[in-house]
Every structure is written in C-alpha cells, then in structure tokens.
Amino acid sequence: MRPVVVFDLDGTLVDSLEEILASFRFVLTGAGLPVPDDARLRSWIGLPLAETFARLAPPEAVAELTAAYRRHYLARLGHRTRPYPGVPERLAELRAAGFGLAVATTKRSGPAKTLLERVGLLGFFDHVQGTDEGMPAKPDPEVVRRAVAGAGGAGVAMVGDTVHDVAAARAAGLAAYAVTWGAGRAEALAAAGADRVAPDLEALPDWLAAVAGRFIV
Ligand SMILES: [Mg+2]
C-alpha cells in the first residue's frame, strides 16, 4: 500500500500567522474586547475558533465573533499568506519518492482548498480534509484518519506545527514531525511526543524514508 503523509496547513505549509493574528485583532477590536498579546494568540492557533473566542468573550458573544472572524478572514484569504521556503520542492520530492500526500486542517475543506490553490500548492495533494461542520477538531484524530482514507493508502506520518497536530498524529497511530516555523514551540512539541522537531522541512524526506521504510517493500 502506498505510504501517505498528512500535513497540517497553517503554520506548517504556509506562513499565515500574520493574516490570522490580524483577523483576531480586527474582530476583537471591533467588538470592543481587549486584544491579548501575540504570544497568547499564537498559542491558541489551531484550536477551533469558537474555543479561542470562548477564552476572550462572554459565551453569548462567541457565535457572532466566530462569524465575524470567518467573514473578515475569508474575504482576504491568502492575500498575505505564502508557502514557507522550500515547501513546493519538498512536496515534489515526496511525490516523486512515491508518497501519497494529504492535508488535515482545522479550517473547513472549502477554504483550505481555496487557500492551497491561491498559493500554488493544491496540485501536490491527493486529498484535502478540513474539519467540516460537526467534525471534532484536532487533537481528535478524526480529521487525520479521513485525510489518510481520502488519499488512499497507509498513513505513516503527520507533519504539523502545534501540539494538537502531534496529539492527533499519535492518536491516529502516525509518527509525528513537528516544525517550529509556525505557532508551536520546540519544547512543547517535544513534550507532546513529536518524534522529530525541526526548524523547517529540510530533514523531512530523509526522516520519512526511515519512518516509512517498513511500509515500502
Ligand atoms: Mg498549524
């Protein structure tokens, strides 16, 4: 069976941090709520929006804040977001090596595909799995399992930038490669159980060859 590698999107494949932080600042300021510093906001990236806003606003305001964020963010989707250096090259390399590639993101599937298309990465992936209405978000492994199933093959590893990605990978039975160019911090990612913590994706192909060795005969 073809080995499948699952990637998180924001903070892993694309540098969307400033676009995301700007949307949070815009929505919170517009609602007259205090804006936490960037370090706190960063630590919540990757959680469902409603969970983040529940930490910042009274419960009755969460639904409107979440909707306002989606409106603001989706209207600008991808305008300030770019793939991290070397990402297209690494993805091309993995495809050439015979890996199936999938995305598992906390974004909905539609916006995730739109963003990947706008930054020129969509064509690398066999399947893009968002956390759609009613699905549990990472660290629940559901979105990762669906990503593997959609790509068709045997899941071997997940690449992500947050402890939620690492936990979801673990729960789905995949090895975890964590990058530190996104929202997560090296110590936390290692503590969460990442098999490899690296500043970027440079070491990914060699690491995957070792991890997937037992799947490729
Ligand atoms: Mg991420």
Side-chain angles (χ1 to χ4, degrees):
M1 235 178 165
R2 181 170 70 149
V4 172
V5 185
V6 180
F7 290 82
D8 168 58
L9 176 52
D10 294 284
T12 298
L13 295 170
V14 297
D15 184 358
S16 50
L17 190 59
E18 194 41 50
E19 193 162 332
I20 290 171
L21 293 179
S23 292
F24 275 118
R25 289 189 209 106
F26 175 86
V27 170
L28 291 169
T29 305
L33 290 162
V35 180
D37 62 35
D38 283 358
R40 284 186 78 205
L41 279 176
R42 279 173 67 126
S43 73
W44 298 332
I45 288 177
L47 290 173
L49 291 170
E51 269 184 49
T52 299
F53 285 119
R55 294 163 191 234
L56 297 165
E60 63 274 14
V62 168
E64 175 46 32
L65 289 169
T66 301
Y69 178 99
R70 287 217 165 90
R71 281 195 301 274
H72 183 266
Y73 179 75
L74 293 179
R76 292 159 182 77
L77 190 63
H79 287 185
R80 295 166 72 177
T81 296
R82 295 292 175 270
Y84 285 107
V87 164
E89 291 83 357
R90 294 296 86 69
L91 295 176
E93 207 175 317
L94 294 178
R95 286 204 73 90
F99 287 96
L101 304 182
V103 167
T105 173
T106 305
K107 276 188 163 54
R108 302 286 168 89
S109 295
K113 287 177 192 163
T114 302
L115 178 56
L116 284 162
E117 210 257 318
R118 286 188 183 166
V119 299
L121 297 179
L122 185 61
F124 288 109
F125 293 98
D126 299 291
H127 185 72
V128 176
Q129 183 62 57
T131 303
D132 294 317
E133 196 70 47
M135 279 179 61
K138 292 177 277 188
D140 188 286
E142 179 68 14
V143 64
V144 179
R145 290 199 180 114
R146 289 200 199 195
V148 170
V156 292
M158 162 126 200
V159 185
D161 73 305
T162 70
V163 294
H164 314 299
D165 295 317
V166 174
R170 286 260 157 265
L174 306 188
Y177 182 107
V179 282
T180 56
W181 60 22
R185 291 287 156 258
E187 306 73 43
L189 293 165
D195 298 282
R196 180 71 180 261
V197 179
D200 51 36
L201 298 186
E202 288 305 307
L204 181 63
D206 284 349
W207 177 81
L208 272 175
V211 168
R214 63 188 188 277
F215 292 91
I216 302 173
V217 288

